[in-house]
Amino acid sequence: MQDYHINHLKELESESIYIIREVAAQFEKPVLLFSGGKDSLIIAHLAKKAFYPAKIPFPLLHVDTGHNFPETIEFRDKLVKELGVHLIVGSVQASIDKGRATEEKGFNASRNALQTVTLLDTLEEYKFDAAMGGARRDEEKARAKERFFSHRDEFGQWDPKNQRPELWNLFNGKKNVGEHFRIFPISNWTEMDVWQYILSENIEIPSIYLSHTRKCFLRDGALLAQSDFINMRPEEEIKEMIVRFRTIGDMTCTGAVESKAATIREIIEEVASARTTERGTRSDDKRSETAMEDRKKQGYF
């Protein structure tokens, strides 16, 4: 059984490295979308393997909402220094200051959706023609519709009904001027695969993925961390809890889970018994039945 798991992870690794190398071969100016989360961290690790002993031949791009977990930013900067790669930061606050995006108001205000305009503006500014991301098909039903090479039109928009067939590992990266592709090298991975690979490769992760004590409050079924970025309702009560995060995103919409999993092995055991996907903790996905797909059509990750 152990050999099966090792072989399975090696097959996934081989497929993803092949796709990353195809991106480097087919596109003139690719970039890796990097949030500091486990999925983009996996792709950075795979890219390091794909081109070793040379350095990763493309920059990393982080769309910074300004409302990130401090632990995420600290980890991002540390990793970039270790990898020796160039980091580009697209600022949502700068988009707001320029009038390109409008700050949401109210108790449920979030900058998560505002990342779209910042991402598209940054891709246009640097003329990137391929943006690799860590989305996986098991995360959410809209992401299950993505191809490995996902075409975006000249406005950065996604049409799920107008994607190219991908047969026998043949990927079509041809495009018109102004268009680009989103590439998802770990589409076939599951959350369990990601954690087992992190364990097998001994990959360092941000501390908030592991159990820790944090002040949280419950809102609409999501356990949110206390933050200066969140307007709290009078009836909401802050409690000190032992939690961890299954995803990393904007603090205003990224929910925690109560957990005592303090090691990767304990996380794997926890994931094995989980009955919801990790994006089940994201309040932004619950705004409507098609929240993710609507955002993706507009140019979101």
Side-chain angles (χ1 to χ4, degrees):
M1 184 63 73
Q2 187 68 25
D3 289 341
Y4 168 78
H5 288 307
I6 293 174
N7 291 337
H8 173 65
L9 292 177
K10 288 299 181 183
E11 288 176 3
L12 289 173
E13 178 190 70
S14 178
E15 177 184 64
S16 299
I17 286 176
Y18 171 75
I19 292 167
I20 292 170
R21 287 172 175 165
E22 278 292 297
V23 171
Q26 291 196 38
F27 296 96
E28 293 182 9
K29 203 169 183 183
V31 68
L32 169 56
L33 302 179
F34 187 79
S35 66
K38 63 185 185 305
D39 299 316
S40 59
L41 181 57
I42 288 286
I43 297 182
H45 181 81
L46 292 167
K48 180 181 177 181
K49 277 195 165 189
F51 303 105
Y52 184 83
K55 290 185 177 180
I56 297 174
F58 39 75
L60 272 54
L61 168 59
H62 180 213
V63 178
D64 183 1
T65 66
H67 293 172
N68 297 288
F69 290 91
E71 297 95 329
T72 305
I73 301 301
E74 181 181 348
F75 182 87
R76 179 202 70 184
D77 294 343
K78 176 175 176 287
L79 182 68
V80 166
K81 186 176 181 180
E82 290 175 356
L83 292 175
V85 295
H86 178 51
L87 173 68
I88 297 169
V89 178
S91 169
V92 171
Q93 182 61 58
S95 296
I96 294 171
D97 294 342
K98 295 175 183 176
R100 293 283 296 148
T102 303
E103 189 90 76
E104 292 184 356
K105 307 295 182 183
F107 291 114
N108 291 317
S110 173
R111 287 186 173 182
N112 196 58
L114 306 188
Q115 295 178 86
T116 299
V117 66
T118 305
L119 172 61
L120 293 177
D121 285 352
T122 307
L123 293 177
E124 173 63 26
E125 178 184 353
Y126 288 89
K127 305 302 180 186
F128 292 124
D129 56 357
M132 286 177 281
R136 307 186 324 269
R137 293 187 180 119
D138 76 318
E139 287 182 277
E140 202 274 342
K141 56 189 177 183
R143 287 185 166 168
K145 298 178 182 179
E146 291 278 18
R147 300 287 197 268
F148 284 111
F149 277 36
S150 186
H151 177 262
R152 296 300 196 268
D153 66 19
E154 64 270 29
F155 301 106
Q157 297 177 329
W158 173 62
D159 181 0
K161 296 181 180 180
N162 186 29
Q163 296 296 314
R164 298 166 184 178
E166 293 179 340
L167 306 173
W168 307 293
N169 286 334
L170 297 175
F171 303 110
N172 184 353
K174 292 183 179 180
K175 58 182 178 53
N176 296 316
V177 175
E179 299 175 345
H180 73 275
F181 278 80
R182 304 288 171 84
I183 316 292
F184 303 107
I186 62 170
S187 288
N188 285 339
W189 297 48
T190 66
E191 183 185 12
M192 178 63 80
D193 295 328
V194 167
W195 285 116
Q196 289 181 334
Y197 188 74
I198 288 172
L199 177 64
S200 67
E201 294 286 302
N202 194 28
I203 299 173
E204 186 180 359
I205 59 172
S207 61
I208 64 173
Y209 277 122
L210 302 172
S211 177
H212 60 283
T213 301
R214 189 178 289 266
K215 292 180 179 179
C216 301
F217 65 96
L218 188 64
R219 173 179 292 180
D220 301 328
L223 198 59
L224 299 177
Q226 181 188 25
S227 167
D228 294 337
F229 309 131
I230 301 176
N231 297 318
M232 293 191 60
R233 298 179 178 127
E235 69 274 13
E236 290 174 334
E237 181 181 357
I238 296 175
K239 295 181 180 180
E240 196 167 83
M241 310 174 73
I242 299 176
V243 301
R244 74 175 190 87
F245 293 86
R246 291 178 70 185
T247 66
I248 288 181
D250 192 286
M251 291 187 72
T252 59
C253 62
T254 303
V257 293
E258 291 190 75
S259 171
K260 294 183 180 180
T263 67
I264 305 300
R265 290 187 184 278
E266 290 174 345
I267 289 177
I268 290 172
E269 292 175 3
E270 188 175 88
V271 170
S273 61
R275 292 295 175 264
T276 58
T277 69
E278 67 260 52
R279 289 201 70 91
T281 64
R282 296 290 293 266
S283 63
D284 53 320
D285 289 352
K286 300 177 182 179
R287 290 192 172 191
S288 73
E289 191 68 26
T290 59
M292 173 62 83
E293 183 159 336
D294 293 341
R295 294 201 305 273
K296 287 179 72 65
K297 288 179 179 178
Q298 296 168 2
Y300 187 73
F301 306 140

